[in-house]
Amino acid sequence: MQREQISVFDMFKIGIGPSSSHTLGPWRAAQQFVQSLEQQRVLPIVQQVKILLYGSLAKTGHGHGTDIAILLGLSGDDPVTFEVDQVTPKIEHIKSSHQLILGGVLPVSFYAEEDLMFLFNESLPYHPNAVTFQAFLNTGKAVSETYYSIGGGFVVKEGDSGQSKTEVDLPFPIDTAADLLHWCIKTGLRISEVVAENELAWRSEQETRTGALNIFRALKECIYRGCHTTGQLPGGLNVARRAAKLNAKLIGNNKYSNYDEWVAAIRNTGDSFKNTLDWVSCFALAVNEENASFGRVVTAPTNGAAGVIPAVLQYYIAFCDGNTDQKIINFLFTASEIGSIFKKGATISAAMGGCQAEIGVSSAMAAAALTECMGGTQRQVLMAAEIAMEHHLGLTCDPIGGLVQVPCIERNTMGAIKAITASQLALQSNPEKAKVSLDAVVKTMWQTALDMNSKYKETSDGGLAINIPISLPEC
Ligand code: SF4
């Protein structure tokens, strides 16, 4: 059987918030549709496009910015490079001018009310996050393609196997935690070293290091920006940003003017339990407030859960001894491998598995990464991931108003703290005596996902989403 091959850079992708499955994935799908029109040599003769959103993409698409992402993707913009402060002006221009520049080259008329349909009561069988693009040509014919956003920014086109990426010969093929442990035992390599060897199948060591440090730069810029931005989050829930106020309170009179000085200033505030706890929450809030504001974030493994891994990494940098390039790379590599195991054995899509698939997986990734970097054995690393997920099992996805704000932002603080606790527990334990393996918890998570009522899977049809009275402005 063909194994899915997932690189560190598939797991950690730079993009724009607020959702990897509902924003980044649909954005990528729209880009792929335009590329497909180019490949079929019909792009110049397109007269009109229509978009049909199904299932969870329809139900929470407004709150998650699915419509915005698709319009930008169809316009030929890229989520990695598009200036985040241009999102609102560009969308307003498309809507007021009733014109979309398809692929950045071909003006087509576009009326959002008629051309972008939210099919709230329709779902496609393959996956709840489905979008169909239709392009009507001047020949009277039409091109129609359906894409599925399967979580974490991964996209599958209907009819494709989902493995369009070039296959490589990985020295250490891994599907399960048992596979990973097998290679560690056989070679004596640490988990991050196994990942580093596998990454060489895709690119050189230098390219991999540069790419990983680019990911880290995006993470730290996101945290720093979030810790220094005040105001309210968009979307109509009127949620106040809290990270900047908390940062100001915690940092006190310590002065700084850039990220590195900020880290030194954080260290100056002391390492009492309460202070450290507050800082970890502050880091996670910062990232997810950026995410909710259509800011630049990194899927880790998703956007909704984008704050957990950076918060734990920032904790490692500021409160442990993690402030070196190699340690940061080891952290990201280990986290990525654990995320891959969950994606292969279960899911990282909240529309498939609820919030256990997002916050639970990110917490397991962070717990493992911290344990690896704190010197834990390979078995302790896997144990940390297992503990973190074990205590997220069954966590539902019920975002109020379909916005990635409540409970999502605070939930990232919980995922981060649980990750640190899980890591400490593993470091203080003998994994030989553990009753539950990581593979058993992956299997359990998947079974729980299958049993979970669909109203708890990113539909805003249940949970907090229906018990908190709100009135949002019409989109
Ligand atoms: S509740 Fe969890 S899974 Fe759902 S949108 Fe929020 S963070 Fe993502």
Side-chain angles (χ1 to χ4, degrees), residues 64 304-305 350 354-355 358-359 396-399 404 407-408 411 458:
H64 285 46
C355 200
E358 288 207 15
I359 296 290
T396 59
C397 172
D398 51 357
V404 193
C408 318
R411 201 163 272 181
E458 210 165 6

Side-chain angles (χ1 to χ4, degrees), residues 116-132:
L116 181 51
M117 311 287 291
F118 289 79
L119 304 174
F120 298 104
N121 297 316
E122 291 185 40
S123 204
L124 300 187
Y126 176 72
H127 194 282
N129 296 336
V131 52
T132 297

Side-chain angles (χ1 to χ4, degrees), residues 5 25 58 109-110 127 168 181 197 211 220 244 308 310 358 397 406 423 444 446 453 471:
Q5 298 183 331
S109 77
F110 183 80
H127 194 282
V168 293
L181 189 59
E197 290 293 321
K220 75 180 184 184
V308 174
E358 288 207 15
C397 172
V406 186
S423 173
T444 306
W446 180 235
N453 191 302
S471 112

Side-chain angles (χ1 to χ4, degrees), residues 19 64 288 302-305 349-351 354-359 395-399 403-409 411-412 456-458:
S19 168
H64 285 46
N288 289 87
T302 66
N303 280 11
S349 164
C355 200
Q356 58 175 355
E358 288 207 15
I359 296 290
L395 190 64
T396 59
C397 172
D398 51 357
L403 295 161
V404 193
Q405 296 181 12
V406 186
C408 318
I409 295 172
R411 201 163 272 181
N412 278 262
Y456 299 119
K457 295 181 184 177
E458 210 165 6

Side-chain angles (χ1 to χ4, degrees), residues 276-290:
T276 308
L277 188 63
D278 282 343
W279 272 117
V280 173
S281 293
C282 185
F283 303 148
L285 292 176
V287 172
N288 289 87
E289 287 170 4
E290 281 297 294

Side-chain angles (χ1 to χ4, degrees), residues 313 316 321-332 369 373:
L313 177 56
Y316 175 55
D321 64 345
N323 207 6
T324 72
D325 285 355
Q326 189 57 54
K327 288 176 178 175
I328 290 163
I329 289 169
N330 292 348
F331 188 102
L332 294 175
C373 291

